[in-house]
Amino acid sequence: IEQVITQLKPAVIINASAYTAVDKAEAEQDEAYLINATAVEYLANAATKHNIRLLHISTDFVFDGSKNTPYTVDDQTNPINVYGATKLAGELAIKAYSPTNAAIVRTSWVYSSHGNNFVKTMLRLMAEKDELNVVSDQIGCPTNATGLAKYLWQLAEQEALEPIYHYSDLGVASWYDFAVAIQHCAFEQG
């Protein structure tokens, strides 16, 4: 991290890296902590040392999901799995090392045409199988990566930052609702 920062001399670091395999993190706790907490601590320390603005993408998994209304930045965190705990550990590292020139951006259900995400998984499974079972008891806010990226660039240009932001696209859905919408869009695209 030090070598790259010294070489590139960035004004802003946007940390979009993460161990995001939620279920797999239960078995691969060391790897999840290394990527979501330890690496973030190194980034935060280096950003402070070099006076670089740090924007860090976090997750709604830092909460326990028991609230029936949208979470606010002031709500108490309470992760219920290893993934959420590792992301919270990363947040705490940022607060410890970069309290004034950093922001944590919590988001949810990010999807795009790149990488692994729910939309791409559903499209693949819909092409392979005649029938899918998708849970309907988990509610969230699907967030397009392009909109999130634009928001991060806006934050990068702000004069002052709040310590934590929540960003998602408008609307809520269950995983089932999201899958139905994906299928509908796929049929429209032909």
Side-chain angles (χ1 to χ4, degrees), residues 77-146:
T77 55
N78 186 32
I80 59 172
N81 57 28
V82 170
Y83 170 69
T86 64
K87 292 299 285 182
L88 179 58
E91 288 188 12
L92 295 174
I94 288 172
K95 290 177 184 178
Y97 286 96
S98 298
T100 58
N101 198 22
I104 296 159
V105 179
R106 293 177 180 147
T107 191
S108 60
W109 298 18
V110 178
Y111 66 93
S112 78
S113 59
H114 305 285
N116 295 323
N117 59 74
F118 187 75
V119 171
K120 289 179 68 178
T121 299
M122 286 296 102
L123 289 171
R124 179 180 51 78
L125 291 174
M126 287 171 189
E128 294 172 0
K129 299 181 179 217
D130 293 333
E131 186 176 302
L132 298 176
N133 292 317
V134 181
V135 297
S136 62
D137 62 344
Q138 296 178 30
I139 308 297
C141 299
T143 303
N144 185 276
T146 301

Side-chain angles (χ1 to χ4, degrees), residues 175-189:
W175 286 117
Y176 173 80
D177 297 329
F178 195 18
V180 169
I182 292 164
Q183 183 180 42
H184 179 75
C185 290
F187 284 147
E188 283 184 347
Q189 296 296 317

Side-chain angles (χ1 to χ4, degrees), residues 31-48:
E31 292 89 341
Y33 271 100
L34 279 172
I35 295 168
N36 292 344
T38 305
V40 175
E41 181 179 330
Y42 292 151
L43 275 175
N45 189 21
T48 298

Side-chain angles (χ1 to χ4, degrees), residues 144-167:
N144 185 276
T146 301
L148 177 59
K150 289 177 183 178
Y151 180 73
L152 291 166
W153 281 115
Q154 289 173 352
L155 284 181
E157 296 174 348
Q158 295 295 318
E159 207 168 299
L161 294 173
E162 295 295 324
I164 301 174
Y165 296 89
H166 286 182
Y167 179 87

